[in-house]
mmCIF file of all heavy atoms in Angstrom:
data_model
loop_
_atom_site.group_PDB
_atom_site.id
_atom_site.type_symbol
_atom_site.label_atom_id
_atom_site.label_comp_id
_atom_site.label_asym_id
_atom_site.label_seq_id
_atom_site.Cartn_x
_atom_site.Cartn_y
_atom_site.Cartn_z
ATOM 1 N N ARG A 299 90.065 39.697 48.831
ATOM 2 C CA ARG A 299 91.501 39.906 49.166
ATOM 3 C C ARG A 299 92.070 41.112 48.493
ATOM 4 O O ARG A 299 92.971 41.707 49.016
ATOM 5 C CB ARG A 299 92.302 38.631 48.736
ATOM 6 C CG ARG A 299 91.795 37.413 49.483
ATOM 7 C CD ARG A 299 92.534 36.200 48.931
ATOM 8 N NE ARG A 299 92.052 34.922 49.665
ATOM 9 C CZ ARG A 299 92.446 33.742 49.255
ATOM 10 N NH1 ARG A 299 93.344 33.587 48.373
ATOM 11 N NH2 ARG A 299 91.979 32.707 49.910
ATOM 12 N N SER A 343 40.700 -8.301 79.648
ATOM 13 C CA SER A 343 40.764 -9.591 79.013
ATOM 14 C C SER A 343 41.075 -10.740 79.929
ATOM 15 O O SER A 343 40.509 -11.830 79.900
ATOM 16 C CB SER A 343 41.745 -9.631 77.835
ATOM 17 O OG SER A 343 41.945 -10.817 77.255
ATOM 18 N N ARG A 460 89.964 3.699 68.334
ATOM 19 C CA ARG A 460 90.844 3.711 69.595
ATOM 20 C C ARG A 460 91.510 5.040 69.719
ATOM 21 O O ARG A 460 91.817 5.713 68.702
ATOM 22 C CB ARG A 460 91.866 2.562 69.565
ATOM 23 C CG ARG A 460 91.268 1.216 69.373
ATOM 24 C CD ARG A 460 92.313 0.128 69.641
ATOM 25 N NE ARG A 460 91.784 -1.223 69.354
ATOM 26 C CZ ARG A 460 91.068 -1.934 70.138
ATOM 27 N NH1 ARG A 460 90.758 -1.450 71.388
ATOM 28 N NH2 ARG A 460 90.654 -3.153 69.801
ATOM 29 N N MET A 541 97.844 -5.033 25.803
ATOM 30 C CA MET A 541 98.009 -3.494 25.773
ATOM 31 C C MET A 541 97.303 -2.961 26.983
ATOM 32 O O MET A 541 97.612 -1.857 27.398
ATOM 33 C CB MET A 541 97.379 -2.968 24.511
ATOM 34 C CG MET A 541 98.146 -3.372 23.239
ATOM 35 S SD MET A 541 99.839 -2.844 23.198
ATOM 36 C CE MET A 541 99.668 -1.086 23.107
#
Side-chain angles (χ1 to χ4, degrees):
R299 298 175 182 177
S343 176
R460 303 191 188 279
M541 298 295 294

